[in-house]
Amino acid sequence: MPVGEKLSIIIPSYNEQDNIARTFHTICEILNSNHIPFEIIFVDDGSKDLTYARIQELSSAHTEAKGISFSRNFGKEAAIFAGLEVAQGACCLIMDCDLQHPASLIPEMYRLWKEGFEVIEGVKSSRGKENPLHTFCARTFYRIISKVTAIDMSQASDFKLLDRKAVDALLIMPERAPFFRALSSWVGFKTATIPFEVQDREIGASKWSLWSLTKYAIRNITSFSSAPLQLISLLGWIMFLASIVLGVQSLYRYFTGTALEGFTTVILLQLVIGSVLMISLGFIGHYISRIYDEIKARPRYIISKRCGC
Ligand code: UDP
Ligand code: MG
């Protein structure tokens, strides 16, 4: 089959033992009936179950099935980049292992690619079943990230088809903590969008907790923007203005002999200033830790096993 037409499907998989074969056969059926040449690369992100064994079984029975396995859990972003690195196709599609991204849309995305589009983005027309707190946090996060990246990310997902040019542009980025769904828009190229409904996860459970989502949000906002640092300066100026007003008032009261005892005020001021300082230090500390991570230049992931590639 001509590599020039080949579609590489990259599937990050973490503890998905019961989804691997099902996902593979679902995709195969759709692509074979549409005569699309393809390979499917499962990236086992350090799973603790039989995910990699299932991938190996598939790989020994089907030439289209390939797999790599990380030495430990490095996260979904790392898995996506590892998949992009080993993919041989002329275009690459990223999708989840739980089929929450509808495989039935792949032929349409592939057709758009053949028409000349270089980035085909799946955008969520609904978020599927989710608890309201999760939806609220996700909305807030995407509102912030859309503002700082100047790219509308409100409905963004990782379900994307990228032309080789876009893949190569992503792969030369040296960032240690890449944010795939924003970077793949940031690289530009001729883009088409395709709406999809997030399907329900039928097998297994979501890997995201509120804590891991919070970390993910903070990491990605700080990797795209230094606005929180500017916010600290703004806060400083606001407090400076407040201090002038309060200072003038206090001096006036002191010289007119109406100064209050002042203990409560002093304690409150100390607490407010202390908190603002500590939070600001936390912001700065976070950026320093990001620089520290980048400067060490450790690999994004370590591959321990591979099959079929
Ligand atoms: N995933 C991964 N590494 C992780 C967490 C998740 O590769 O550390 C994969 C997971 O196997 C799935 C995809 O990323 O294929 C999306 O994960 P999940 O379904 O848990 O997220 P949700 O759909 O709830 O956002
Ligand atoms: Mg899912």
Side-chain angles (χ1 to χ4, degrees), residues 17 128 164 305-306:
Q17 60 180 20
R164 177 54 46 198
K305 288 172 261 180
R306 41 173 91 218

Side-chain angles (χ1 to χ4, degrees), residues 136-167:
F136 171 76
C137 294
R139 289 242 161 88
T140 313
F141 165 62
Y142 283 114
R143 214 166 284 153
I144 299 173
I145 202 93
S146 300
K147 221 174 175 72
V148 300
T149 55
I151 302 165
D152 180 17
M153 299 271 307
S154 54
Q155 307 300 109
S157 75
D158 288 332
F159 186 37
K160 293 191 183 194
L161 193 149
L162 307 171
D163 180 71
R164 177 54 46 198
K165 273 191 268 175
V167 172

